[in-house]
Amino acid sequence: MAETFTHWDAADHLQSKEDLRLYLEACADEDPGDGSLIRAALNDIARAQNMSQLAREIGMTREGLYKALSEQGNPSFSTVIRIIRAEGKQLRITT
């Protein structure tokens, strides 16, 4: 019997603010240093919430936000900070 698989999407499993925080922290910890995993996590978080509302809150178009957070995207640091703040989070650097 052949196995069948379905597409798994992290956005489908991010239900609570705590889920979002832990997911973003884990992705930040595992990021290879180029920001790609953080960008992907922000994409998942934005899709789990409301992409259109988030785009309005940070002063971007929905399409612009999708493009910035896409696999080929390269969001500016200010965009990343605006997304983090709009999600009610803070960026902290610790040692």
Side-chain angles (χ1 to χ4, degrees):
M1 177 179 243
E3 290 185 57
T4 59
F5 298 94
T6 59
H7 176 73
W8 188 87
D9 188 348
D12 295 335
H13 303 279
L14 300 171
Q15 304 294 321
S16 69
K17 294 288 184 184
E18 183 71 0
D19 291 344
L20 299 175
R21 182 185 67 79
L22 292 171
Y23 181 62
L24 186 55
E25 282 181 8
C27 289
D29 288 344
E30 297 298 321
D31 189 82
D34 62 0
S36 61
L37 198 51
I38 294 169
R39 182 211 32 82
L42 291 173
N43 185 357
D44 293 337
I45 289 169
R47 289 182 302 106
Q49 302 292 293
N50 183 328
M51 185 73 80
S52 296
Q53 180 180 342
L54 177 60
R56 280 191 300 276
E57 286 179 32
I58 66 170
M60 291 182 76
T61 64
R62 182 177 161 273
E63 294 78 15
L65 185 56
Y66 267 114
K67 183 177 178 181
L69 297 178
S70 73
E71 203 169 309
Q72 296 78 29
N74 188 17
S76 68
F77 188 69
S78 64
T79 298
V80 171
I81 295 298
R82 289 192 324 245
I83 294 168
I84 289 171
R85 287 186 179 161
E87 289 294 330
K89 309 281 184 257
Q90 294 178 345
L91 178 65
R92 294 187 185 211
I93 299 169
T94 62
T95 57

